Amino acid sequence: MNTPPSATKACRSAVRAEASLVLCLRSETPNFTPDVEAAAERINETSERVLALSKENGLSWLEAYEKMLDGVLKLEDTVRASRWPAAPSSG
């Protein structure tokens, strides 16, 4: 399944925010050693949340699309029924 652009953007934003925080802390405290493992774990958790939300939103979108297609099919059936005369009855 392709990741929606909004999910990709959110992941990138989370990574940039984490990197900015690390750079900020490093510049303010010269002896600061970032916990790379903890940062990687937080980024991974954020990515998983974004993907889960994307899947939920994707399902909602697909359900709405299905309803729209059903409406189009019903409209086509209605138009087809009104344009063609009923078959003559034999008898």
Side-chain angles (χ1 to χ4, degrees):
M1 180 174 157
N2 291 335
T3 304
S6 60
T8 303
K9 186 176 180 180
C11 286
R12 287 183 184 149
S13 177
V15 169
R16 279 195 294 270
E18 186 74 30
S20 295
L21 178 62
V22 169
L23 290 174
C24 178
L25 290 173
R26 183 178 288 167
S27 66
E28 290 179 5
T29 54
N31 296 330
F32 174 73
T33 304
D35 186 356
V36 176
E37 290 297 322
E41 182 62 30
R42 287 191 301 274
I43 290 169
N44 187 39
E45 289 171 1
T46 301
S47 296
E48 288 176 7
R49 282 194 336 246
V50 168
L51 289 175
L53 289 172
S54 297
K55 287 178 183 179
E56 285 180 32
N57 291 336
L59 180 59
S60 298
W61 185 87
L62 286 174
E63 289 172 346
Y65 186 66
E66 179 183 26
K67 287 180 183 179
M68 185 273 305
L69 288 178
D70 283 339
V72 169
L73 288 174
K74 288 177 184 175
L75 178 63
E76 286 180 353
D77 288 343
T78 302
V79 170
R80 186 178 304 114
S82 67
R83 290 177 53 192
W84 298 102
S89 59
S90 58

